Amino acid sequence: MNRISIICLSMFLSFFLGCNTSDEKLRLTSPSKKYNLVVDVNNETENKANKGCLRLKLYNQSHELVYFMQTGVSDNNKWQVLWHPTNDTIIVDSKDIGNAAYQITAGKNISPVTWTDELKVVADSAFKTKYDDN
């Protein structure tokens, strides 16, 4: 392939893969493959207290929104959102408001989970990987 073809292919893939909203930060599939989690930034102007904060949107396999959560996690600070590697628990690690974990209940709700040392180890490892903090 010549240089122009590579540039065109790169632009096409960037456009094709980047068709999400510009505020989308992360899209993650749960370990069970039953859910997709989309993390985006609230840029709506009605509620200034939540502007710039992360939102969690949980979708089922049929791509239907089953749960929405507005967090207080600011996109201006370091943060990490991930699935626990072995179960459908969402881990939120934020340097501005701290840590939290949420488990999917009844296939449609997110319920808080007690923060444990094991969750902290998973969160810390992912955070260090994301920000390359050694």
Side-chain angles (χ1 to χ4, degrees), residues 22-110:
S22 61
D23 297 329
E24 187 175 303
K25 294 290 183 178
L26 197 57
R27 182 179 293 265
L28 303 166
T29 302
S30 68
S32 70
K33 311 283 190 250
K34 292 181 182 178
Y35 305 99
N36 284 305
L37 180 67
V38 173
V39 180
D40 71 0
V41 178
N42 184 346
N43 283 321
E44 297 170 7
T45 58
E46 302 90 51
N47 185 343
K48 298 211 185 288
N50 292 328
K51 187 171 169 97
C53 291
L54 302 181
R55 299 183 293 194
L56 306 180
K57 298 176 183 178
L58 184 67
Y59 294 89
N60 62 19
Q61 290 174 317
S62 301
H63 308 289
E64 299 166 321
L65 180 66
V66 294
Y67 196 83
F68 171 86
M69 175 188 280
Q70 172 68 60
T71 74
V73 176
S74 172
D75 188 39
N76 294 324
N77 294 296
K78 290 183 176 182
W79 58 269
Q80 173 69 306
V81 176
L82 65 145
W83 288 103
H84 185 281
T86 60
N87 60 48
D88 289 344
T89 298
I90 300 163
I91 299 172
V92 179
D93 187 3
S94 164
K95 293 308 172 199
D96 62 340
I97 66 167
N99 306 314
Y102 306 94
Q103 192 167 39
I104 299 168
T105 56
K108 61 183 178 180
N109 294 312
I110 298 175

